[in-house]
Amino acid sequence: QITLKESGPTLVKPTQTLTLTCTFSGFSLSTREVGVGWIRQPPGKALEWLALIYWNDDKRYSPSLKSRLTITKDTSKNQVVLTMTNMDPVDTATYYCAHNPETEYFDSWGQGTLVTVSS
Amino acid sequence: SYDLTQPPSVSVSPGQTASITCSGDKLGDKYVSWYQQKPGQSPVMVIYQDAKRPSGIPERLSGSNSGNTATLTISGTQAMDEAEYYCQAWDDRVVFGGGTKLTVL
């Protein structure tokens, strides 16, 4: 059974850097073709993909946010970390991490963590 | 950039068939997945690789993809199917549609 759980601050101030951790079980990020992605959802709005990291450390980013995002993995800890710099109130959203068994889709999602950006 | 377009809302009567579309340039050349999201819950994948159903997803949910349009079809719609539905494809990056609110009247 695959599980993922997001953790990090619930409140950040504008201009600060957000660091979120996805801790997972039930799969290994050293398995060929496997990846973990981050997706966010502002309140009442649509899903927005942020970043994806693969088993071989290949990384992909949303073009519109690429300059602000960094995704890394710690295979031994079963964790993926996303950092987003220069946070703004418009970045207020629920942030999800999800398992990516093949490039095209996400078959298991975490419960999400709501991050509010406010001074 | 690659965009996926969904109707904001679709309404259906219980027991009838609901169709939710997702449009994109040459979408039929890409794999499409669909996610169901109920209020306060995380998205759940209901269709992947255009038409495959994960275990536990009812057979009344089906998918197709051809030309510029992918379609999620829900046959014999039930009250429990009321949710937001998102399509998603890969175009050298992950792309989500804007979501469709399915209302079962």
Side-chain angles (χ1 to χ4, degrees):
Chain A
Q1 179 192 3
I2 291 174
T3 64
L4 306 99
K5 187 172 184 179
E6 306 85 353
S7 59
T10 58
L11 179 66
V12 297
K13 296 184 187 316
T15 76
Q16 286 186 336
T17 294
L18 171 68
T19 300
L20 294 173
T21 300
C22 175
T23 304
F24 57 85
S25 63
F27 68 96
S28 172
L29 247 185
S30 59
T31 301
R32 190 175 180 86
E33 305 296 338
V34 170
V36 171
W38 285 94
I39 302 100
R40 71 178 180 180
Q41 185 174 38
K45 296 189 177 181
L47 300 172
E48 178 185 19
W49 172 69
L50 300 176
L52 186 55
I53 190 166
Y54 292 103
W55 62 285
N56 59 356
D57 213 36
D58 184 18
K59 302 168 187 177
R60 305 294 175 96
Y61 295 101
S62 165
S64 62
L65 293 166
K66 184 175 183 178
S67 64
R68 299 173 54 203
L69 297 173
T70 303
I71 189 170
T72 60
K73 64 180 176 70
D74 186 330
T75 305
S76 64
K77 293 183 178 179
N78 282 352
Q79 290 182 333
V80 171
V81 175
L82 180 75
T83 61
M84 180 180 292
T85 61
N86 194 24
M87 294 292 285
D88 183 271
V90 300
D91 296 312
T92 293
T94 296
Y95 287 75
Y96 298 98
C97 62
H99 175 247
N100 179 247
E102 299 179 61
T103 301
E104 294 90 8
Y105 57 91
F106 299 100
D107 64 349
S108 297
W109 295 59
Q111 64 188 26
T113 185
L114 176 61
V115 178
T116 301
V117 184
S118 175
S119 55
Chain B
S1 65
Y2 192 81
D3 295 320
L4 294 175
T5 301
Q6 298 181 236
S9 62
V10 168
S11 298
V12 64
S13 299
Q16 298 304 302
T17 297
S19 295
I20 299 173
T21 59
C22 174
S23 300
D25 185 47
K26 298 180 181 179
L27 185 57
D29 292 342
K30 312 177 192 303
Y31 274 137
V32 173
S33 55
W34 290 90
Y35 303 87
Q36 176 193 71
Q37 187 179 33
K38 296 182 179 180
Q41 298 183 18
S42 301
V44 173
M45 187 179 72
V46 295
I47 294 289
Y48 68 104
Q49 292 181 348
D50 295 340
K52 296 179 180 178
R53 263 188 320 274
S55 61
I57 301 301
E59 289 186 9
R60 63 177 184 276
L61 277 72
S62 62
S64 63
N65 184 20
S66 179
N68 294 322
T69 304
T71 303
L72 174 68
T73 302
I74 307 175
S75 305
T77 306
Q78 301 180 9
M80 66 183 296
D81 298 322
E82 186 163 289
E84 192 85 20
Y85 290 86
Y86 295 92
C87 61
Q88 178 250 308
W90 173 266
D91 183 61
D92 200 36
R93 60 187 178 92
V94 177
V95 183
F96 284 99
T100 298
K101 168 65 175 173
L102 177 67
T103 301
V104 182
L105 298 170

